[in-house]
Amino acid sequence: KQWYQRRVVITAGMEIHHSKHHATYVNNLNATAEKVSAAVAEGNAGAVIGLHGALKFNGGGHINHSIFWNNLSPNGGGVPSGELLSAIEAEFGSFDQFKAKMSAATIAVQGSGWGWLGLNPDSKRLQIATCANQDPLQATTGLAPLLGIDVWEHAYYLQYKNVRPEYVNSIWDIVNWEDVAARFAAASS
């Protein structure tokens, strides 16, 4: 019963996260895109460059959260299967070792940011990475994003207050491994 209650509370907190925070990134991205278009039409390179920070932050927030929502499911959790599990075991030794390494890296993010499992497009090997703020994984590191864990406090504060490790350890109960596996298959081809 405790596991079920934790899953329901995480999902309820995520609903607020989605409807408030992600929506703000989308609205601000759209507003910034309009400003960029106007600056380009005016030939104002300085204004275009000046909008880079807002574009990266809000665009990254939208990209990251769009992946994040699909990476989660109230029916998630457990262990991946098939080629994804084989790749995880080949790279990290076991699923439990992967989970421990990704959790540790994600918990260690200073301030706000993201923990990621990505695929290196050149070596076709899995890598764990972290990104600060809303920096998108692929644009920042070149890795194809497979699984992202949001460690901005707005992602977990309602349920976990400032206890990030408890949130990160609980989120594994709702990871949608089917989505992660589909991202892996697409990035591998």
Side-chain angles (χ1 to χ4, degrees):
K1 185 173 180 172
Q2 181 182 8
W3 171 80
Y4 175 76
Q5 287 174 333
R6 183 173 65 216
R7 181 178 283 194
V8 170
V9 172
I10 289 173
T11 304
M14 292 299 175
E15 182 66 33
I16 294 168
H17 183 174
H18 181 271
S19 65
K20 302 293 183 191
H21 295 282
H22 187 183
T24 300
Y25 297 125
V26 171
N27 292 337
N28 289 340
L29 174 60
N30 290 336
T32 302
E34 288 177 17
K35 291 177 185 175
V36 168
S37 292
V40 169
E42 295 168 5
N44 187 342
V48 172
I49 292 167
L51 291 165
H52 174 331
L55 190 61
K56 181 179 180 183
F57 182 79
N58 293 296
H62 173 55
I63 290 167
N64 293 345
H65 284 89
S66 294
I67 295 166
F68 183 62
W69 303 129
N70 288 303
N71 278 172
L72 304 178
S73 170
N75 301 314
V79 177
S81 60
E83 292 182 19
L84 175 61
L85 180 59
S86 296
I88 287 171
E89 291 171 339
E91 191 63 44
F92 302 103
S94 71
F95 176 73
D96 287 338
Q97 288 176 318
F98 153 70
K99 194 168 140 181
K101 288 177 183 178
M102 183 152 172
S103 293
T106 303
I107 291 165
V109 169
Q110 293 184 349
S112 298
W114 292 78
W116 290 100
L117 174 65
L119 182 71
N120 184 310
D122 297 325
S123 69
K124 299 295 184 190
R125 293 180 65 180
L126 296 175
Q127 290 180 231
I128 294 170
T130 60
C131 293
N133 301 312
Q134 293 297 352
D135 294 1
L137 182 68
Q138 196 156 22
T140 304
T141 67
L143 299 175
L146 307 178
L147 171 64
I149 301 176
D150 184 350
V151 288
W152 280 69
E153 282 191 343
H154 69 238
Y156 59 89
Y157 197 83
L158 288 176
Q159 173 64 20
Y160 296 98
K161 305 299 181 219
N162 64 343
V163 187
R164 183 182 287 178
E166 188 176 335
Y167 158 74
V168 170
N169 290 327
S170 294
I171 205 160
W172 295 106
D173 291 340
I174 58 171
V175 171
N176 179 358
W177 290 111
E178 289 179 15
D179 179 69
V180 180
R183 290 177 187 285
F184 175 69
S188 297
S189 60

